[in-house]
Amino acid sequence: PGCSVRYSVVNQWTGGFQGTVAVTNTGDAWSTWTLTFRFADGQTVTQGWNGRWSQSASTVTVANESWNGNVATGASVAPGFIGSWNGANNAPTGFAVNGVTCGGQTTTTTTRTTPTTTTSGLADITVDPGTRYQTVDGFGAALPIWPGSASGMLTTSEVRTMVGMGD
């Protein structure tokens, strides 16, 4: 069997991440499949879906479920997982399906951070750098705070009003 792989980190946070391994069958049809790969940085799979997951040291194995074992030529499967990491979270290597090394491996990393919370004056401001908006104490309308947003930067008086400090 031939295959190509696209590994993606869909989301990442301190100590954890969500990954997907999209495997495309580039050879004869599979009636069953077993994907293997190796983590280099001590990452651990804590839960997975679209396959039966197991891990021994750095080697991860994903076997098909009863409903997704048949993969036609040109078709794909995309098992996903939640993992833990410490220090580094580099992409795994050595992807193989049914014991045959996959070619055409690509890696996509999308890092999303959790909102940053800053306390100032009487209220907490939650800033979400991904959306460029923030809320005060989790209530009220989200207000743009960076250039390029709907109304640009907030003025000093707008910031003071948001944190309950008046004009």
Side-chain angles (χ1 to χ4, degrees):
C3 56
S4 64
V5 173
R6 182 170 178 258
Y7 175 79
S8 300
V9 173
V10 179
N11 200 348
Q12 181 170 293
W13 54 93
T14 303
F17 68 106
Q18 178 182 341
T20 300
V21 184
V23 182
T24 301
N25 180 357
T26 60
D28 295 335
W30 304 328
S31 59
T32 63
W33 54 268
T34 300
L35 167 69
T36 57
F37 59 89
R38 290 181 306 279
F39 280 123
D41 298 318
Q43 299 100 317
T44 302
V45 173
T46 58
Q47 67 181 25
W49 52 91
N50 294 342
R52 295 185 321 272
W53 291 79
S54 63
Q55 184 169 357
S56 176
S58 64
T59 302
V60 176
T61 302
V62 188
N64 64 272
E65 296 283 3
S66 60
W67 52 268
N68 68 353
N70 291 314
V71 182
T73 301
S76 299
V77 293
F81 66 97
I82 301 294
S84 63
W85 64 280
N86 185 10
N89 188 21
N90 291 307
T93 59
F95 293 94
V97 172
N98 298 338
V100 177
T101 301
C102 295
Q105 299 173 25
T106 60
T107 302
T108 303
T109 302
T110 303
T111 302
R112 295 190 178 129
T113 57
T114 56
T116 302
T117 303
T118 305
T119 302
S120 176
L122 304 173
D124 291 337
I125 298 175
T126 302
V127 177
D128 184 343
T131 62
R132 298 176 173 241
Y133 285 85
Q134 52 124 70
T135 58
V136 178
D137 282 340
F139 298 101
L143 298 172
I145 61 170
W146 281 289
S149 58
S151 64
M153 296 289 281
L154 294 176
T155 66
T156 302
S157 64
E158 288 172 320
V159 170
R160 285 184 181 152
T161 299
M162 285 176 16
V163 297
M165 296 170 61
D167 293 327

